[in-house]
Amino acid sequence: MKSSNLDTPADPAEKSDRRAWAVMAMLLVFMLINYADKAVLGLAANPIMRELGLSHSEYGLLASSFFFLFNISAVAFGFLANRFPTKWLMFGMALVWGFTQLPVVAGAGFAALLVSRIVLGAAEGPAQPVAMHAAFKWFPNEKRSIPSSLISGGGGLGGVLAAPLLTLVIINFGWRWAFLSLFVVGVLWCAVWAVVGREGTADRAAAPTGAEPEPVENFRVPYHRILLSGTWLAGFVGAFGAYWTSALLLAWVPSYLETSLGYSAVAAGAIVTAPWVLKTVATFGQGALTQWLMHRGVSSRVSRGILGGCAVFLAGAAMLLAPFVTHPGLKIALITVAFSIGAVKFAIGQTINAEITPPAQRGAVLSMTVGLVTLAGLAAPYVTGRIVESAADPAAGFAMAFAIPGTLMLIGGLLAFAFVHPERDARRSPRTGATSAGRRTRARPVRDLSAPASGTSADR
């Protein structure tokens, strides 16, 4: 008699797929919490300034303090991620996120709030690159567009959910209660992640039947060859402008809507949700579109490079136009586009960077990219505060401040059209290894390193 399906062992590949998507779900929530932690300060900007008696430049310093150690931490953790399990690195980061909220709940003043934001920034700096590295361990290059968009889209989704919910908490219970809610959510995520989190095996070489899989050989290239490639440099400029924009969305846009455009706190909280919604839709849509295009045989240059360049170019144009439009509906529409679609560059850019980088160096390259790009977050809130404070009126100050990221994104889009060539730059970073006879051989481009290598160790 034939055995039933219940008696048939589960297919290992199917189990691995289920585990991969369970991990991806947790990474998505991880990034959602990450962005909610960032956004809460901007949502509570006006009550914080009133209660603590802060000027615009002092609040700008408080917002920028989040990035004091952000970049250094991002780079340092990237090298750690090359050597240690991402599961426990992420667990430690999220636990620190939660506990940095407690001094604020306990009635902290400006100094304690400043220190807590610095520590939070140090713990959040590595979040995106380490989460990307963790996801890429489960998926080969040709299947990474959707996972990377989910991780980047977690920020947009965090804004969609956090902006209205945290605004309601701030209005009804006070701004300190918003920080308490983030502490609870962060600790709960750690408890679930300790059970669900695992390391993927997509970077491992295929092994003969019955043998244990062997790690892919640690092929490496000089880091300067990656970081000085046209693909990386052009992507950096666009991502820098897009991150400057994201920092303004977190720190200043709610206040801008209230002080310069005259909206109430409730209305501003609702309006600021629109960029997060479009950012989420654009990021998730980009992942699906890019993966479909690559499946159809479209080059990475077109499906990733040109698409990302178009997104930041349009965002930059909208940013420059928005302050000069008088029609309220059109102004809000331009603000929504300006502060949203440029974020597509984060998912595309990191996927491209992984494409041109050997797996043994991927964690470090992704983290160095984030460390350099997020210097924009260190500068943007404080520079904007100084510009607004020195302007004749806040509206004029914000118009000048918005011109900075708008121009950067326009330039970044043009550079992407001209210089982003992932396949070309992957070929310029070849991997070399020794055959069993001791001869040096040049293997296929680095971008194929993400897929399992064929053959036995003797063949290699």
Side-chain angles (χ1 to χ4, degrees), residues 257-288:
L257 293 171
E258 291 182 52
T259 59
S260 297
L261 301 187
Y263 291 98
S264 67
V266 175
I271 292 171
V272 82
T273 303
W276 292 110
V277 172
L278 184 54
K279 180 184 292 190
T280 304
V281 173
T283 302
F284 291 165
Q286 165 271 316

PDB file of all heavy atoms in Angstrom, residues 257-288:
ATOM      1  N   LEU A 257       5.450  71.151   7.542  1.00  0.00           N
ATOM      2  CA  LEU A 257       4.028  71.171   7.213  1.00  0.00           C
ATOM      3  C   LEU A 257       3.232  72.022   8.193  1.00  0.00           C
ATOM      4  O   LEU A 257       2.272  72.693   7.804  1.00  0.00           O
ATOM      5  CB  LEU A 257       3.484  69.738   7.200  1.00  0.00           C
ATOM      6  CG  LEU A 257       4.013  68.824   6.093  1.00  0.00           C
ATOM      7  CD1 LEU A 257       3.578  67.380   6.321  1.00  0.00           C
ATOM      8  CD2 LEU A 257       3.546  69.303   4.719  1.00  0.00           C
ATOM      9  N   GLU A 258       3.643  72.023   9.459  1.00  0.00           N
ATOM     10  CA  GLU A 258       2.924  72.807  10.463  1.00  0.00           C
ATOM     11  C   GLU A 258       3.306  74.281  10.420  1.00  0.00           C
ATOM     12  O   GLU A 258       2.432  75.159  10.371  1.00  0.00           O
ATOM     13  CB  GLU A 258       3.212  72.246  11.860  1.00  0.00           C
ATOM     14  CG  GLU A 258       2.612  70.865  12.118  1.00  0.00           C
ATOM     15  CD  GLU A 258       2.876  70.390  13.529  1.00  0.00           C
ATOM     16  OE1 GLU A 258       2.580  71.147  14.472  1.00  0.00           O
ATOM     17  OE2 GLU A 258       3.387  69.266  13.699  1.00  0.00           O
ATOM     18  N   THR A 259       4.624  74.576  10.442  1.00  0.00           N
ATOM     19  CA  THR A 259       5.063  75.967  10.586  1.00  0.00           C
ATOM     20  C   THR A 259       5.025  76.759   9.281  1.00  0.00           C
ATOM     21  O   THR A 259       4.728  77.954   9.288  1.00  0.00           O
ATOM     22  CB  THR A 259       6.482  76.012  11.153  1.00  0.00           C
ATOM     23  OG1 THR A 259       7.372  75.312  10.274  1.00  0.00           O
ATOM     24  CG2 THR A 259       6.533  75.372  12.529  1.00  0.00           C
ATOM     25  N   SER A 260       5.312  76.108   8.152  1.00  0.00           N
ATOM     26  CA  SER A 260       5.385  76.833   6.883  1.00  0.00           C
ATOM     27  C   SER A 260       4.120  76.720   6.043  1.00  0.00           C
ATOM     28  O   SER A 260       3.770  77.653   5.323  1.00  0.00           O
ATOM     29  CB  SER A 260       6.575  76.326   6.061  1.00  0.00           C
ATOM     30  OG  SER A 260       7.781  76.581   6.720  1.00  0.00           O
ATOM     31  N   LEU A 261       3.439  75.583   6.135  1.00  0.00           N
ATOM     32  CA  LEU A 261       2.233  75.399   5.320  1.00  0.00           C
ATOM     33  C   LEU A 261       0.946  75.515   6.122  1.00  0.00           C
ATOM     34  O   LEU A 261      -0.140  75.466   5.547  1.00  0.00           O
ATOM     35  CB  LEU A 261       2.300  74.039   4.607  1.00  0.00           C
ATOM     36  CG  LEU A 261       3.514  73.824   3.685  1.00  0.00           C
ATOM     37  CD1 LEU A 261       3.369  72.521   2.909  1.00  0.00           C
ATOM     38  CD2 LEU A 261       3.719  74.991   2.741  1.00  0.00           C
ATOM     39  N   GLY A 262       1.051  75.616   7.451  1.00  0.00           N
ATOM     40  CA  GLY A 262      -0.114  75.903   8.273  1.00  0.00           C
ATOM     41  C   GLY A 262      -1.018  74.738   8.601  1.00  0.00           C
ATOM     42  O   GLY A 262      -2.168  74.937   9.011  1.00  0.00           O
ATOM     43  N   TYR A 263      -0.556  73.522   8.474  1.00  0.00           N
ATOM     44  CA  TYR A 263      -1.383  72.355   8.801  1.00  0.00           C
ATOM     45  C   TYR A 263      -1.333  72.069  10.299  1.00  0.00           C
ATOM     46  O   TYR A 263      -0.348  72.378  10.973  1.00  0.00           O
ATOM     47  CB  TYR A 263      -0.909  71.122   8.028  1.00  0.00           C
ATOM     48  CG  TYR A 263      -1.180  71.205   6.541  1.00  0.00           C
ATOM     49  CD1 TYR A 263      -0.180  71.600   5.655  1.00  0.00           C
ATOM     50  CD2 TYR A 263      -2.430  70.885   6.016  1.00  0.00           C
ATOM     51  CE1 TYR A 263      -0.419  71.673   4.288  1.00  0.00           C
ATOM     52  CE2 TYR A 263      -2.677  70.957   4.656  1.00  0.00           C
ATOM     53  CZ  TYR A 263      -1.671  71.354   3.800  1.00  0.00           C
ATOM     54  OH  TYR A 263      -1.917  71.430   2.457  1.00  0.00           O
ATOM     55  N   SER A 264      -2.404  71.477  10.818  1.00  0.00           N
ATOM     56  CA  SER A 264      -2.425  71.059  12.214  1.00  0.00           C
ATOM     57  C   SER A 264      -1.525  69.844  12.406  1.00  0.00           C
ATOM     58  O   SER A 264      -1.098  69.211  11.432  1.00  0.00           O
ATOM     59  CB  SER A 264      -3.845  70.702  12.641  1.00  0.00           C
ATOM     60  OG  SER A 264      -4.293  69.538  11.954  1.00  0.00           O
ATOM     61  N   ALA A 265      -1.253  69.502  13.677  1.00  0.00           N
ATOM     62  CA  ALA A 265      -0.404  68.348  13.963  1.00  0.00           C
ATOM     63  C   ALA A 265      -1.024  67.061  13.419  1.00  0.00           C
ATOM     64  O   ALA A 265      -0.320  66.206  12.871  1.00  0.00           O
ATOM     65  CB  ALA A 265      -0.169  68.224  15.464  1.00  0.00           C
ATOM     66  N   VAL A 266      -2.339  66.932  13.553  1.00  0.00           N
ATOM     67  CA  VAL A 266      -3.019  65.733  13.055  1.00  0.00           C
ATOM     68  C   VAL A 266      -2.940  65.664  11.533  1.00  0.00           C
ATOM     69  O   VAL A 266      -2.628  64.610  10.952  1.00  0.00           O
ATOM     70  CB  VAL A 266      -4.489  65.702  13.520  1.00  0.00           C
ATOM     71  CG1 VAL A 266      -5.222  64.519  12.890  1.00  0.00           C
ATOM     72  CG2 VAL A 266      -4.573  65.612  15.041  1.00  0.00           C
ATOM     73  N   ALA A 267      -3.205  66.800  10.875  1.00  0.00           N
ATOM     74  CA  ALA A 267      -3.143  66.831   9.415  1.00  0.00           C
ATOM     75  C   ALA A 267      -1.727  66.581   8.917  1.00  0.00           C
ATOM     76  O   ALA A 267      -1.516  65.850   7.943  1.00  0.00           O
ATOM     77  CB  ALA A 267      -3.649  68.172   8.897  1.00  0.00           C
ATOM     78  N   ALA A 268      -0.728  67.172   9.598  1.00  0.00           N
ATOM     79  CA  ALA A 268       0.666  66.955   9.207  1.00  0.00           C
ATOM     80  C   ALA A 268       1.052  65.486   9.349  1.00  0.00           C
ATOM     81  O   ALA A 268       1.739  64.927   8.490  1.00  0.00           O
ATOM     82  CB  ALA A 268       1.594  67.827  10.049  1.00  0.00           C
ATOM     83  N   GLY A 269       0.586  64.850  10.434  1.00  0.00           N
ATOM     84  CA  GLY A 269       0.865  63.435  10.622  1.00  0.00           C
ATOM     85  C   GLY A 269       0.261  62.583   9.522  1.00  0.00           C
ATOM     86  O   GLY A 269       0.849  61.581   9.104  1.00  0.00           O
ATOM     87  N   ALA A 270      -0.928  62.982   9.040  1.00  0.00           N
ATOM     88  CA  ALA A 270      -1.570  62.241   7.955  1.00  0.00           C
ATOM     89  C   ALA A 270      -0.862  62.492   6.624  1.00  0.00           C
ATOM     90  O   ALA A 270      -0.623  61.559   5.843  1.00  0.00           O
ATOM     91  CB  ALA A 270      -3.036  62.645   7.846  1.00  0.00           C
ATOM     92  N   ILE A 271      -0.490  63.756   6.368  1.00  0.00           N
ATOM     93  CA  ILE A 271       0.162  64.092   5.098  1.00  0.00           C
ATOM     94  C   ILE A 271       1.526  63.429   4.992  1.00  0.00           C
ATOM     95  O   ILE A 271       1.914  62.927   3.925  1.00  0.00           O
ATOM     96  CB  ILE A 271       0.287  65.622   4.952  1.00  0.00           C
ATOM     97  CG1 ILE A 271      -1.103  66.251   4.781  1.00  0.00           C
ATOM     98  CG2 ILE A 271       1.177  65.987   3.771  1.00  0.00           C
ATOM     99  CD1 ILE A 271      -1.097  67.764   4.848  1.00  0.00           C
ATOM    100  N   VAL A 272       2.282  63.411   6.101  1.00  0.00           N
ATOM    101  CA  VAL A 272       3.632  62.855   6.057  1.00  0.00           C
ATOM    102  C   VAL A 272       3.607  61.345   5.831  1.00  0.00           C
ATOM    103  O   VAL A 272       4.633  60.745   5.481  1.00  0.00           O
ATOM    104  CB  VAL A 272       4.398  63.200   7.351  1.00  0.00           C
ATOM    105  CG1 VAL A 272       4.051  62.252   8.489  1.00  0.00           C
ATOM    106  CG2 VAL A 272       5.900  63.217   7.112  1.00  0.00           C
ATOM    107  N   THR A 273       2.425  60.746   6.011  1.00  0.00           N
ATOM    108  CA  THR A 273       2.298  59.319   5.727  1.00  0.00           C
ATOM    109  C   THR A 273       2.369  59.045   4.221  1.00  0.00           C
ATOM    110  O   THR A 273       2.827  57.977   3.796  1.00  0.00           O
ATOM    111  CB  THR A 273       0.966  58.780   6.280  1.00  0.00           C
ATOM    112  OG1 THR A 273       0.901  59.047   7.679  1.00  0.00           O
ATOM    113  CG2 THR A 273       0.840  57.277   6.071  1.00  0.00           C
ATOM    114  N   ALA A 274       1.921  60.016   3.406  1.00  0.00           N
ATOM    115  CA  ALA A 274       1.865  59.806   1.956  1.00  0.00           C
ATOM    116  C   ALA A 274       3.224  59.460   1.351  1.00  0.00           C
ATOM    117  O   ALA A 274       3.323  58.517   0.549  1.00  0.00           O
ATOM    118  CB  ALA A 274       1.258  61.033   1.272  1.00  0.00           C
ATOM    119  N   PRO A 275       4.310  60.191   1.674  1.00  0.00           N
ATOM    120  CA  PRO A 275       5.602  59.777   1.131  1.00  0.00           C
ATOM    121  C   PRO A 275       6.011  58.373   1.556  1.00  0.00           C
ATOM    122  O   PRO A 275       6.608  57.632   0.760  1.00  0.00           O
ATOM    123  CB  PRO A 275       6.582  60.819   1.700  1.00  0.00           C
ATOM    124  CG  PRO A 275       5.746  62.009   1.986  1.00  0.00           C
ATOM    125  CD  PRO A 275       4.415  61.468   2.401  1.00  0.00           C
ATOM    126  N   TRP A 276       5.675  57.989   2.791  1.00  0.00           N
ATOM    127  CA  TRP A 276       6.012  56.641   3.245  1.00  0.00           C
ATOM    128  C   TRP A 276       5.232  55.593   2.445  1.00  0.00           C
ATOM    129  O   TRP A 276       5.773  54.531   2.110  1.00  0.00           O
ATOM    130  CB  TRP A 276       5.717  56.486   4.729  1.00  0.00           C
ATOM    131  CG  TRP A 276       6.595  57.292   5.630  1.00  0.00           C
ATOM    132  CD1 TRP A 276       6.247  58.388   6.375  1.00  0.00           C
ATOM    133  CD2 TRP A 276       7.989  57.076   5.903  1.00  0.00           C
ATOM    134  NE1 TRP A 276       7.313  58.855   7.080  1.00  0.00           N
ATOM    135  CE2 TRP A 276       8.393  58.073   6.813  1.00  0.00           C
ATOM    136  CE3 TRP A 276       8.916  56.135   5.460  1.00  0.00           C
ATOM    137  CZ2 TRP A 276       9.702  58.153   7.291  1.00  0.00           C
ATOM    138  CZ3 TRP A 276      10.220  56.215   5.932  1.00  0.00           C
ATOM    139  CH2 TRP A 276      10.595  57.210   6.834  1.00  0.00           C
ATOM    140  N   VAL A 277       3.969  55.890   2.145  1.00  0.00           N
ATOM    141  CA  VAL A 277       3.162  54.948   1.366  1.00  0.00           C
ATOM    142  C   VAL A 277       3.745  54.775  -0.034  1.00  0.00           C
ATOM    143  O   VAL A 277       3.954  53.645  -0.509  1.00  0.00           O
ATOM    144  CB  VAL A 277       1.698  55.421   1.276  1.00  0.00           C
ATOM    145  CG1 VAL A 277       0.909  54.549   0.301  1.00  0.00           C
ATOM    146  CG2 VAL A 277       1.039  55.396   2.649  1.00  0.00           C
ATOM    147  N   LEU A 278       4.019  55.911  -0.706  1.00  0.00           N
ATOM    148  CA  LEU A 278       4.565  55.829  -2.063  1.00  0.00           C
ATOM    149  C   LEU A 278       5.955  55.200  -2.054  1.00  0.00           C
ATOM    150  O   LEU A 278       6.315  54.439  -2.959  1.00  0.00           O
ATOM    151  CB  LEU A 278       4.616  57.223  -2.695  1.00  0.00           C
ATOM    152  CG  LEU A 278       5.076  57.277  -4.160  1.00  0.00           C
ATOM    153  CD1 LEU A 278       4.254  56.351  -5.039  1.00  0.00           C
ATOM    154  CD2 LEU A 278       5.034  58.706  -4.684  1.00  0.00           C
ATOM    155  N   LYS A 279       6.750  55.507  -1.023  1.00  0.00           N
ATOM    156  CA  LYS A 279       8.082  54.904  -0.902  1.00  0.00           C
ATOM    157  C   LYS A 279       7.970  53.389  -0.803  1.00  0.00           C
ATOM    158  O   LYS A 279       8.727  52.652  -1.449  1.00  0.00           O
ATOM    159  CB  LYS A 279       8.794  55.463   0.331  1.00  0.00           C
ATOM    160  CG  LYS A 279      10.187  54.899   0.560  1.00  0.00           C
ATOM    161  CD  LYS A 279      10.801  55.422   1.858  1.00  0.00           C
ATOM    162  CE  LYS A 279      11.114  56.882   1.779  1.00  0.00           C
ATOM    163  NZ  LYS A 279      11.929  57.330   2.945  1.00  0.00           N
ATOM    164  N   THR A 280       7.015  52.915  -0.011  1.00  0.00           N
ATOM    165  CA  THR A 280       6.819  51.475   0.151  1.00  0.00           C
ATOM    166  C   THR A 280       6.380  50.832  -1.155  1.00  0.00           C
ATOM    167  O   THR A 280       6.932  49.800  -1.583  1.00  0.00           O
ATOM    168  CB  THR A 280       5.774  51.198   1.243  1.00  0.00           C
ATOM    169  OG1 THR A 280       6.186  51.828   2.463  1.00  0.00           O
ATOM    170  CG2 THR A 280       5.607  49.706   1.484  1.00  0.00           C
ATOM    171  N   VAL A 281       5.388  51.435  -1.806  1.00  0.00           N
ATOM    172  CA  VAL A 281       4.883  50.892  -3.072  1.00  0.00           C
ATOM    173  C   VAL A 281       5.978  50.894  -4.132  1.00  0.00           C
ATOM    174  O   VAL A 281       6.171  49.907  -4.864  1.00  0.00           O
ATOM    175  CB  VAL A 281       3.660  51.696  -3.553  1.00  0.00           C
ATOM    176  CG1 VAL A 281       3.235  51.260  -4.948  1.00  0.00           C
ATOM    177  CG2 VAL A 281       2.501  51.545  -2.578  1.00  0.00           C
ATOM    178  N   ALA A 282       6.721  52.002  -4.234  1.00  0.00           N
ATOM    179  CA  ALA A 282       7.774  52.110  -5.245  1.00  0.00           C
ATOM    180  C   ALA A 282       8.887  51.098  -4.993  1.00  0.00           C
ATOM    181  O   ALA A 282       9.396  50.469  -5.926  1.00  0.00           O
ATOM    182  CB  ALA A 282       8.343  53.524  -5.258  1.00  0.00           C
ATOM    183  N   THR A 283       9.268  50.928  -3.738  1.00  0.00           N
ATOM    184  CA  THR A 283      10.367  50.010  -3.424  1.00  0.00           C
ATOM    185  C   THR A 283       9.967  48.570  -3.690  1.00  0.00           C
ATOM    186  O   THR A 283      10.715  47.801  -4.310  1.00  0.00           O
ATOM    187  CB  THR A 283      10.794  50.179  -1.959  1.00  0.00           C
ATOM    188  OG1 THR A 283      11.193  51.542  -1.734  1.00  0.00           O
ATOM    189  CG2 THR A 283      11.966  49.270  -1.625  1.00  0.00           C
ATOM    190  N   PHE A 284       8.772  48.176  -3.214  1.00  0.00           N
ATOM    191  CA  PHE A 284       8.307  46.809  -3.471  1.00  0.00           C
ATOM    192  C   PHE A 284       8.071  46.589  -4.962  1.00  0.00           C
ATOM    193  O   PHE A 284       8.409  45.531  -5.516  1.00  0.00           O
ATOM    194  CB  PHE A 284       7.019  46.524  -2.699  1.00  0.00           C
ATOM    195  CG  PHE A 284       7.207  46.447  -1.206  1.00  0.00           C
ATOM    196  CD1 PHE A 284       6.108  46.504  -0.360  1.00  0.00           C
ATOM    197  CD2 PHE A 284       8.466  46.316  -0.636  1.00  0.00           C
ATOM    198  CE1 PHE A 284       6.265  46.427   1.018  1.00  0.00           C
ATOM    199  CE2 PHE A 284       8.640  46.242   0.738  1.00  0.00           C
ATOM    200  CZ  PHE A 284       7.537  46.298   1.563  1.00  0.00           C
ATOM    201  N   GLY A 285       7.495  47.584  -5.634  1.00  0.00           N
ATOM    202  CA  GLY A 285       7.248  47.460  -7.069  1.00  0.00           C
ATOM    203  C   GLY A 285       8.535  47.349  -7.853  1.00  0.00           C
ATOM    204  O   GLY A 285       8.623  46.575  -8.817  1.00  0.00           O
ATOM    205  N   GLN A 286       9.544  48.119  -7.449  1.00  0.00           N
ATOM    206  CA  GLN A 286      10.847  48.025  -8.110  1.00  0.00           C
ATOM    207  C   GLN A 286      11.421  46.630  -8.001  1.00  0.00           C
ATOM    208  O   GLN A 286      11.979  46.100  -8.971  1.00  0.00           O
ATOM    209  CB  GLN A 286      11.795  49.043  -7.487  1.00  0.00           C
ATOM    210  CG  GLN A 286      13.266  48.824  -7.828  1.00  0.00           C
ATOM    211  CD  GLN A 286      13.975  47.891  -6.854  1.00  0.00           C
ATOM    212  OE1 GLN A 286      13.808  48.008  -5.636  1.00  0.00           O
ATOM    213  NE2 GLN A 286      14.764  46.971  -7.375  1.00  0.00           N
ATOM    214  N   GLY A 287      11.302  46.015  -6.813  1.00  0.00           N
ATOM    215  CA  GLY A 287      11.842  44.667  -6.644  1.00  0.00           C
ATOM    216  C   GLY A 287      11.191  43.670  -7.581  1.00  0.00           C
ATOM    217  O   GLY A 287      11.874  42.864  -8.237  1.00  0.00           O
ATOM    218  N   ALA A 288       9.872  43.724  -7.662  1.00  0.00           N
ATOM    219  CA  ALA A 288       9.150  42.800  -8.545  1.00  0.00           C
ATOM    220  C   ALA A 288       9.473  43.074 -10.010  1.00  0.00           C
ATOM    221  O   ALA A 288       9.702  42.140 -10.795  1.00  0.00           O
ATOM    222  CB  ALA A 288       7.645  42.925  -8.298  1.00  0.00           C
TER     223      ALA A 288
END
